[in-house]
Amino acid sequence: MPEKPYDHKEVELKWHEQWKDHPEIYSTDAASPRPKYYVCEMLPYPSGRLHMGHVRNYSIGDALARYMWMRGYDVLHPMGWDAFGLPAENAAIKRGRHPREWTLDNIAEMKRQMKRMGFAYDWNREVSTCEPEYYRWNQWFFLKMFERGLAYRKEALLNWCPECNTVLANEQVVEGCCWRHETTPVEQRALVQWFLKITEYAEELLNDTYKTLEGGWPERVLTMQRNWIGRSEGTEVDFTLEGTDTKIRVFTTRVDTIYGATCVIMAPEHPLVDSLIEPDKRDALKAMIDSRARKDPADLEKEGLATGKFAVNPYSGQKVPIWVGNFVLMGYGTGAIMAVPAHDERDFEFCKQYGIAIVPVIRPVDGELADAATMKEAYGEYGVTVNTGQWSGLASADAKKQMSDFAEQNGFGKAAITYRIKDWGISRQRYWGTPIPVIHCEKCGIVPVPEDQLPVVLPLNVEITGKGRSPLENVPEFLNVNCPQCGAAARRETDTMDTFVDSSWYFYRYCDSTNDKAPFASQVANHWFPIDQYIGGVTHAILHLIYSRFWTKVMRDIGLVTTGEPAKNLFTQGMVLKDGTAMSKSKGNIVDPEEMVEKYGADTCRLFVLFAAPPERDMDWQESAVSGQRRFLERVYRFVTAHVDKASIAAGEPTPGDRRALRKLHQTVRKVTTDFDSRWHFNTSIAALMELVNELYEVRNDLTANSLPEVLEKLTLLLGPFAPYASQDLWDQLGRQGLVFRQPWPSYDDELAKEEQAEIPVQVNGKLRAKITVAFGTDAKELERLALAEPKVRAFTDGKQVVKIIVVPDKLINIVVK
RNA sequence: GCCCGGGUGGCGAAAUCGGCAGACGCAACGGACUUAAAAUCCGUUUUCGCGCAAGCGGAGUGCGGGUUCAAGUCCCGCCCCGGGCACCA
């Protein structure tokens, strides 16, 4: 058979047609004795088109899934749609299309693109979060959490984006602005909201980053989560409002410095402030609250208001002035602090500014107490206490412990742990989301929708204007309902859930995606979980990945699953950049994968995103480099098709070409296998395949049936995880049956991979001077003799004194001369 | 300010445990094939100096020190780029 040119359209469309309506070829086999492997890529938002970030993410996951199939695992590899969310409503406003219609069209389009890319998903398990069959379980989980006191309502000052017309979670605020509208400053509004008590799990979420997840998740992600949780050990202490019984509770991590406290500062929103502040300062107070809401916290100047009142320090009995400060946060600790300017940088700045006293009470272990009058900055380190009553002369750490205990014994405080993480506000005044399943009854108050009445279906006949409150308020048949408890006329909750709820548990639904009795059967989830490999962008390092961890722990506590963490291993791939910045519509630097597929083929596209950089690193898109991958595929294709016939002709003795080809082949199998089993540097795997093909071209006239059948078969199989279409087509050309990714992964033999002879560099004083070729295993003595005899070496050693010779057998010789 | 990444040819990168720096690919240049071009195949390409040349020698992984027979890799001190956090008491 003459060599065949590679025509990507012919090859890919042929197999695409055969595969596209057969999701079962990628299905799992419950009856299989093979070990399970669950590989999951983060599900996309159905924006309408696949972008290069998706292609990269899914090419990594797909290569892994195919490899694991070939390694004999029962692989679960599903895909779904994060289908609720704002863009659908924006599209409705802009184009007058219904969010559902728009979303479903986008899903259909992206699914088509994914199939064209050749991603091996079991579409029978597809999950779409905007379908009632899915979101009814969001509601079900909500009710379970409500029962357990994990879902509750409270009024709070919350971030409000005037552009989105909705509340944002703290996590959705980026530098004081909305995460979607980076130039729109977030405002503060007081609203009654639904919250999930993630703080209840703060300790466990933190601990697991040191236990279960350590090693399997990138350290970077774990660090970000630890910072986000922000655990801090300290003491709560009550100061007393002078002349009253009113307590002002403060939180401090440095109770050992409390003798240096020279004022108490309260957050402007603190509930006590209103009664403390002089009436003529009310306006200034309001201005303070508003300006903080509007400004980027980074460039907020410190500002304070003296209340004219005093507080009594429970340790020293001393009275200190009470201030209001714009840098004190209501949402952290107790909303009030004691200011110790001598030992806290921020307090120092504040007290200097307002001429408040500075009293040092900690000296360095080997130094003097600072002089209040001359000190230029706060001393924030630990040290030894000075002038602190009965606790004078103690090490900071001991003083902290003893003084904390003292507060507790005397009833004016206690040791306390504070977290930075706050409860998760899930209410959204939006249409395209999961309705929160509660009813507001005038008599009964908040009444959860009974479980057997789920789902609370999102009505479709709404008008979306993007103005005012939720569109659901204008749908009477949704809004008006009878109270499930007393039967009286009542009102449905119109808030919908944050879409992070949808993505917090979707990967469990894949296991049992059609279950209509439960979110999923525990037994099935317990088989597949934890996910063996979760893959996605580092942009989700905090939000999605902490919420889904929380969700899993709740599911465990209600008895649905046995594991406390959803994913054993996490891989975060780098971004795809163009000209050094992220591709985005506003920058107009989008590369459409579909154009690449049309021009070069899906296989080339996949090879390229894997080849251009190691997967965890950001990669800059350079279209000029794509042609190299295309050329490589052409070379492979021509080589295999040209040698198919020759492979079946009986041959005599193996030629030197046969031996070289086999050696390189086994080296390549080993290299690719190692890359898969360790660090997924597919760029080097593909480079190894290229080296193999280059070598095969070099010896192509000297190849016989002694090597060709094995070479052609293994080369084809090695290509499978990266270029599934070309690989399958070559498999077919080789006259083989079945699906490539269901074949066993090729094996290698270290002996066959071994070079015949070792080429050993010889250095003189660390500089390469010659190379000698010897048999493997040549002993050190002999190597030394050969090296010293080498003319190029002698040019540098003659007339000099040989001080030392380092010999690393089979590796290197270094002769040290003087 | 704090915490992570990263800095290697014209470009993307490789060097996995301290042992030949630049694999593989892009781009460029040259050769073969061709009437010609494309495609393909083969070759050259870190840089400087010497040489007609095969070659020989020096320098070289952001900068400055150090450890070592040997450093892109380890240690100390800086600079630059990217990301995250940022009054969290």
Side-chain angles (χ1 to χ4, degrees):
Chain A
M1 200 195 300
E3 70 173 33
K4 216 177 144 193
Y6 171 68
D7 175 344
H8 72 264
K9 284 197 175 152
E10 186 193 321
V11 167
E12 296 189 351
L13 292 179
K14 175 180 170 189
W15 296 102
H16 178 251
E17 285 307 306
Q18 292 199 26
W19 296 340
K20 72 172 188 199
D21 296 322
H22 293 280
E24 73 278 3
I25 62 179
Y26 306 116
S27 66
T28 61
D29 179 5
S32 159
R34 295 183 294 167
K36 70 99 182 178
Y37 193 85
Y38 187 0
V39 54
C40 184
E41 297 110 63
M42 290 181 187
L43 86 179
Y45 179 79
S47 57
R49 306 283 292 171
L50 226 49
H51 59 67
M52 276 302 166
H54 294 131
V55 169
R56 191 177 193 200
N57 188 177
Y58 304 148
S59 295
I60 294 165
D62 203 56
L64 181 68
R66 288 173 184 275
Y67 173 73
M68 294 311 282
W69 262 306
M70 294 176 84
R71 289 304 297 261
Y73 287 84
D74 188 31
V75 176
L76 173 57
H77 189 216
M79 186 40 72
W81 310 99
D82 188 14
F84 269 141
L86 225 38
E89 284 181 67
N90 294 340
I93 295 161
K94 224 164 114 185
R95 283 171 264 229
R97 297 197 62 198
H98 193 279
R100 181 178 168 83
E101 205 185 302
W102 182 83
T103 304
L104 295 188
D105 280 358
N106 286 350
I107 289 174
E109 172 65 4
M110 289 174 78
K111 191 166 163 183
R112 181 191 64 76
Q113 288 186 300
M114 285 185 181
K115 287 185 174 180
R116 181 63 188 84
M117 286 304 301
F119 296 136
Y121 298 126
D122 182 355
W123 288 109
N124 286 332
R125 297 172 178 274
E126 180 178 3
V127 161
S128 237
T129 62
C130 67
E131 299 297 346
E133 293 74 27
Y134 183 82
Y135 68 68
R136 71 173 288 183
W137 301 112
N138 285 346
Q139 296 171 338
W140 183 86
F141 279 121
F142 179 90
L143 295 178
K144 294 286 166 204
M145 291 195 201
F146 184 74
E147 272 169 33
R148 307 185 141 237
L150 290 171
Y152 68 97
R153 248 158 70 97
K154 73 172 178 194
E155 182 175 275
L157 271 184
L158 284 179
N159 308 302
W160 176 272
C161 173
E163 197 82 27
C164 301
N165 228 347
T166 195
V167 163
L168 301 174
N170 285 328
E171 298 90 319
Q172 292 169 331
V173 178
V174 181
E175 287 174 14
C177 293
C178 172
W179 68 320
R180 290 188 194 281
H181 304 96
E182 288 171 18
T183 54
T184 306
V186 167
E187 298 171 3
Q188 303 291 297
R189 290 207 186 172
L191 286 171
V192 179
Q193 306 279 303
W194 284 99
F195 285 84
L196 300 184
K197 235 183 211 170
I198 193 170
T199 52
E200 187 112 338
Y201 289 85
E203 193 67 30
E204 201 193 341
L205 286 166
L206 180 68
N207 284 339
D208 278 351
T209 67
Y210 292 102
K211 290 190 252 159
T212 329
L213 302 182
E214 186 78 62
W217 281 38
E219 204 48 45
R220 180 161 64 126
V221 172
L222 295 179
T223 306
M224 282 163 76
Q225 293 211 351
R226 285 168 197 153
N227 292 341
W228 192 258
I229 294 165
R231 183 184 196 272
S232 175
E233 277 180 35
T235 312
E236 285 180 5
V237 178
D238 289 331
F239 280 66
T240 312
L241 182 62
E242 189 194 24
T244 72
D245 289 336
T246 307
K247 308 291 186 199
I248 300 170
R249 179 156 280 215
V250 303
F251 173 76
T252 177
T253 54
R254 291 296 302 275
V255 71
D256 57 312
T257 66
I258 198 164
Y259 277 77
T262 54
C263 65
V264 163
I265 312 175
M266 305 176 75
E269 302 89 351
H270 195 290
L272 273 178
V273 166
D274 217 41
S275 61
L276 296 180
I277 196 113
E278 321 216 329
D280 61 332
K281 287 184 180 160
R282 291 255 155 86
D283 288 347
L285 180 71
K286 194 171 179 307
M288 190 186 275
I289 295 174
D290 284 349
S291 79
R292 180 158 75 179
R294 239 176 286 117
K295 267 194 198 151
D296 187 337
D299 44 49
L300 198 67
E301 301 273 308
K302 280 194 176 52
E303 239 179 83
L305 283 173
T307 61
K309 304 282 196 311
F310 289 85
V312 179
N313 181 330
Y315 290 87
S316 66
Q318 206 176 22
K319 66 174 201 174
V320 295
I322 301 173
W323 285 70
V324 176
N326 67 340
F327 69 101
V328 178
L329 306 172
M330 190 56 223
Y332 182 79
T334 60
I337 62 163
M338 62 175 199
V340 184
H343 302 295
D344 182 281
E345 197 192 313
R346 298 153 300 182
D347 298 346
F348 185 82
E349 192 192 323
F350 185 84
C351 292
K352 271 275 177 193
Q353 194 177 327
Y354 288 101
I356 299 165
I358 296 172
V359 179
V361 293
I362 303 286
R363 65 165 174 84
V365 174
D366 53 359
E368 296 295 308
L369 192 67
D371 175 7
T374 58
M375 67 194 293
K376 290 274 182 296
E377 56 179 12
Y379 177 73
E381 309 295 311
Y382 279 5
V384 177
T385 51
V386 180
N387 301 329
T388 56
Q390 66 189 99
W391 298 281
S392 291
L394 293 174
S396 286
D398 296 335
K400 271 170 67 174
K401 174 86 180 68
Q402 292 180 25
M403 292 172 80
S404 218
D405 290 348
F406 184 81
E408 185 145 15
Q409 284 151 21
N410 290 273
F412 62 78
K414 60 171 188 186
I417 293 163
T418 307
Y419 299 91
R420 207 187 77 110
I421 192 171
K422 298 185 187 80
D423 280 340
W424 176 12
I426 57 158
S427 284
R428 297 292 180 272
Q429 289 66 46
R430 280 280 154 183
Y431 165 65
W432 195 233
T434 305
I436 292 176
V438 297
I439 289 161
H440 299 268
C441 171
E442 288 208 0
K443 256 194 279 173
C444 314
I446 301 285
V447 182
V449 173
E451 222 177 289
D452 59 13
Q453 287 175 30
L454 297 183
V456 175
V457 177
L458 191 65
L460 295 177
N461 59 330
V462 290
E463 199 193 344
I464 297 158
T465 59
K467 303 209 174 75
R469 307 253 328 185
S470 168
L472 290 175
E473 306 214 339
N474 304 319
V475 185
E477 58 274 32
F478 177 81
L479 197 61
N480 302 320
V481 65
N482 292 328
C483 171
Q485 258 170 44
C486 70
R491 207 184 125 91
R492 228 182 249 292
E493 172 70 64
T494 55
D495 280 358
T496 53
M497 297 183 197
D498 181 4
T499 56
F500 278 111
V501 169
D502 307 328
S503 54
S504 287
W505 67 280
Y506 73 99
F507 29 54
Y508 287 92
R509 183 70 180 171
Y510 286 141
C511 297
D512 195 8
S513 61
T514 55
N515 195 325
D516 60 0
K517 303 281 181 299
F520 50 85
S522 295
Q523 191 196 342
V524 183
N526 287 336
H527 169 69
W528 287 108
F529 274 78
I531 295 170
D532 294 279
Q533 188 64 60
Y534 195 33
I535 307 170
V538 74
T539 39
H540 297 106
I542 300 174
L543 312 181
H544 162 58
L545 287 171
I546 215 160
Y547 292 146
S548 53
R549 292 182 57 216
F550 159 67
W551 212 273
T552 290
K553 291 178 194 308
V554 173
M555 292 196 302
R556 177 202 57 200
D557 289 351
I558 63 180
L560 263 179
V561 296
T562 49
T563 52
E565 289 288 344
K568 192 160 57 187
N569 297 296
L570 170 71
F571 187 89
T572 50
Q573 99 263 3
M575 290 188 298
V576 182
L577 308 175
K578 184 81 196 293
D579 311 317
T581 50
M583 290 186 190
S584 75
K585 270 194 197 130
S586 57
K587 290 184 195 118
N589 61 352
I590 303 244
V591 177
D592 187 351
E594 184 118 9
E595 284 171 31
M596 304 301 300
V597 170
E598 183 65 22
K599 200 162 155 194
Y600 299 100
D603 281 344
T604 297
C605 195
R606 291 169 62 135
L607 275 174
F608 179 72
V609 296
L610 296 176
F611 180 76
E616 73 278 8
R617 206 136 93 191
D618 289 350
M619 63 171 277
D620 204 71
W621 182 268
Q622 297 203 5
E623 184 166 344
S624 61
V626 176
S627 58
Q629 307 312 308
R630 168 66 194 219
R631 261 200 290 267
F632 167 62
L633 276 182
E634 288 170 358
R635 271 162 76 78
V636 176
Y637 198 85
R638 279 199 311 269
F639 183 85
V640 175
T641 53
H643 290 82
V644 169
D645 292 345
K646 214 171 162 189
S648 59
I649 297 167
E653 287 296 298
T655 64
D658 286 328
R659 282 197 295 274
R660 273 182 67 185
L662 283 174
R663 185 184 312 127
K664 193 70 181 177
L665 177 71
H666 282 256
Q667 288 171 351
T668 307
V669 176
R670 181 171 59 193
K671 170 68 183 158
V672 176
T673 305
T674 314
D675 277 341
F676 265 113
D677 291 343
S678 58
R679 46 176 207 170
W680 298 2
H681 278 198
F682 301 132
N683 52 331
T684 60
S685 309
I686 294 166
L689 287 170
M690 290 173 163
E691 281 188 62
L692 170 62
V693 172
N694 290 347
E695 181 107 351
L696 293 177
Y697 269 82
E698 267 181 56
V699 299
R700 65 181 179 278
N701 295 323
D702 196 23
L703 293 175
T704 71
N706 287 298
S707 63
L708 278 169
E710 185 183 350
V711 167
L712 298 183
E713 174 182 321
K714 289 187 173 174
L715 171 60
T716 300
L717 292 172
L718 288 175
L719 200 61
F722 312 115
Y725 288 115
S727 168
Q728 184 67 51
D729 200 61
L730 291 173
W731 192 245
D732 189 54
Q733 306 267 354
L734 291 175
R736 307 294 296 265
Q737 305 293 310
L739 293 158
V740 165
F741 69 94
R742 296 288 190 172
Q743 308 304 316
W745 183 250
S747 59
Y748 64 89
D749 180 340
D750 277 325
E751 278 307 307
L752 284 172
K754 214 168 182 177
E755 295 291 343
E756 270 167 13
Q757 292 201 296
E759 196 184 45
I760 301 180
V762 183
Q763 300 177 337
V764 178
N765 286 347
K767 283 188 179 148
L768 181 69
R769 297 303 180 189
K771 289 181 185 182
I772 56 174
T773 305
V774 298
F776 274 98
T778 302
D779 69 36
K781 265 242 153 61
E782 175 68 1
L783 287 173
E784 210 175 298
R785 193 187 64 74
L786 288 167
L788 287 168
E790 192 69 20
K792 284 178 187 164
V793 172
R794 293 192 58 175
F796 293 89
T797 54
D798 279 355
K800 305 229 168 92
Q801 186 196 343
V802 175
V803 181
K804 195 174 180 183
I805 301 181
I806 285 98
V807 179
V808 187
D810 295 347
K811 273 269 165 175
L812 170 134
I813 300 161
N814 188 11
I815 302 164
V816 186
V817 298
K818 225 174 20 182

